[in-house]
Amino acid sequence: IFDILRDLAYCYFVTGPRGHAEAAKYYARAFEVNPRSTEVANSLSQCYMGLKKYQEAAAVEMELVHLPGAHAEVWKRAAEAYEAAGDRENARGAYIAYLQWKPGDLLARCQLARLEGLDKNYSDAAGQYRSALSSNPKFVPALVGMARIDSWQGQLDESLELYNRVLRFEHEKS
């Protein structure tokens, strides 16, 4: 029955967004039959994301992180799903777990920093941005994020200097 449910779900899935609801229904049933199928779980999560059922997508990803051989990317997808759902606390935890495996993912580090900034944890946010900038001093998302944190703290001169640095880097590229 697993193969039939998976294949039926796939047929709906490949029709695009209009088939995601039906695909999710059959992928969910297939996942109940075989909760170790990362293929089915990944597809189910994609369906939920497409349907804007972000908490459901995050729940599927969190089931995957506990499977033997789970990849770090599962934590990142969980973080993104939690963030889309507006669940910053769980998104933060998932990004932290992901970054333990992939500390060089500067964009994920900036996403974590952005969440910290939104929650007014400015020191933690700045630390994450500084970490990204220590790896790549011209990493624009980190420079812009740090400028934003500085401006939110009333450090306008520092903020302006960072924004101007970004403009200079962008000018050098063109």
Side-chain angles (χ1 to χ4, degrees), residues 4-16 18-20 22-23 26-27:
I4 294 168
L5 292 169
R6 182 198 60 213
D7 293 349
L8 178 59
Y10 174 78
C11 287
Y12 279 112
F13 183 75
V14 296
T15 65
R18 67 184 172 91
H20 284 174
E22 287 297 310
Y26 291 110
Y27 277 133

Side-chain angles (χ1 to χ4, degrees), residues 2-76:
F2 171 79
D3 291 338
I4 294 168
L5 292 169
R6 182 198 60 213
D7 293 349
L8 178 59
Y10 174 78
C11 287
Y12 279 112
F13 183 75
V14 296
T15 65
R18 67 184 172 91
H20 284 174
E22 287 297 310
K25 180 169 65 174
Y26 291 110
Y27 277 133
R29 288 179 57 197
F31 194 52
E32 287 174 12
V33 172
N34 182 358
R36 293 192 168 283
S37 173
T38 57
E39 171 198 358
V40 166
N42 287 333
S43 296
L44 177 58
S45 178
Q46 286 179 346
C47 286
Y48 285 149
M49 289 296 285
L51 293 167
K52 299 186 183 334
K53 293 184 173 187
Y54 305 120
Q55 284 290 358
E56 289 90 337
V60 170
E61 297 295 349
M62 291 309 294
E63 288 189 43
L64 286 175
V65 300
H66 300 295
L67 292 179
H71 297 283
E73 294 299 316
V74 176
W75 283 108
K76 186 176 182 180

